[in-house]
Amino acid sequence: MSKMDMKALRTRILSALVLIPVVIYIVIVGGWPFYIMLAILAAITAYEWVYIARHTRGALFHSAWGAVYLLIGFGACVMIREYYGVGSSIMFLLMVWSADIGAFFCGQIIGGKRLAPSISPNKTISGFVGGAVISAIVGMIFFTVSMIVNPQFEFSIVPILFAGVIGVIVGIVGQAGDLLESKIKRMAGVKDTGTIIPGHGGLLDRVDSMLMAAPVFYMIYSFFSFGV
């Protein structure tokens, strides 16, 4: 990496080290702190989405479906926390974050063919695969630890493997959400949705993967009545 890339990476890491523990703590606490956090996130991302949409052709259309998209995404986050508890919520977040981190580092280290050069020229196929695999590994580790520390679960390899499958799906769908946002930004001719998070751009740039993956994660859990 260049010196500029290393500086940007350090800034991103420092921001993550500050924000991730705060988010996890609020998820654990639940209740009004959790709802207030999501309301703030939803308000900021809605503002950023409208900012992007108004620079596109068909601004009203993109604003409208964007509002529905955000509502479904954040709504799914609430449903995961309320119906499947703290463990499932944290596992979901760790899967999303690990997919993002895994995709970045696998893309940097392995490189190779670009995934979608016309949409996001920095993303590679190796990064896409690496993100999904690391998300699966993190999901399996988290679920294994959950079964060990929680006596109500009997240790079984089947749910562990299932957690890995969910991790792959979350990793793939989350990166698809990232590509969707990149496509909209391309249409609008903007690089970032904002500058609210040092090294990361706008808030929407950080939660785009979560918004796409949350409804899918929730539907899988609902279908299999699965939770930790």
Side-chain angles (χ1 to χ4, degrees), residues 7 36 53 63 99 104 227:
K7 183 178 180 180
I36 291 171
S63 296
F104 176 80

Side-chain angles (χ1 to χ4, degrees), residues 10-71:
R10 284 196 295 269
T11 304
R12 292 185 66 172
I13 291 173
L14 288 173
S15 297
L17 289 176
V18 172
L19 293 174
I20 288 176
V22 173
V23 171
I24 290 179
Y25 175 75
I26 295 176
V27 169
I28 292 172
V29 172
W32 286 111
F34 177 68
Y35 293 134
I36 291 171
M37 178 184 72
L38 284 187
I40 293 172
L41 295 179
I44 295 173
T45 52
Y47 172 81
E48 292 178 344
W49 188 281
V50 172
Y51 168 76
I52 298 174
R54 72 182 184 183
H55 289 83
T56 65
R57 292 183 179 181
L60 183 60
F61 169 74
H62 290 301
S63 296
W65 76 259
V68 175
Y69 175 66
L70 295 178
L71 180 63

Side-chain angles (χ1 to χ4, degrees), residues 83-84 88 153 162 218-228:
Y83 282 93
Y84 299 110
S88 297
F153 290 108
F162 187 57
Y218 175 73
M219 286 188 291
I220 294 173
Y221 262 45
S222 298
F223 185 79
F224 290 97
S225 297
F226 187 71
V228 294

Side-chain angles (χ1 to χ4, degrees), residues 145-187:
V145 173
S146 297
M147 286 196 299
I148 292 173
V149 301
N150 193 336
Q152 72 173 320
F153 290 108
E154 292 185 7
F155 193 86
S156 173
I157 193 65
V158 175
I160 294 174
L161 292 176
F162 187 57
V165 172
I166 296 176
V168 170
I169 295 172
V170 167
I172 291 173
V173 176
Q175 291 182 78
D178 191 23
L179 286 173
L180 173 64
E181 195 218 349
S182 295
K183 176 65 175 179
I184 298 298
K185 288 193 295 185
R186 282 273 176 178
M187 294 169 59

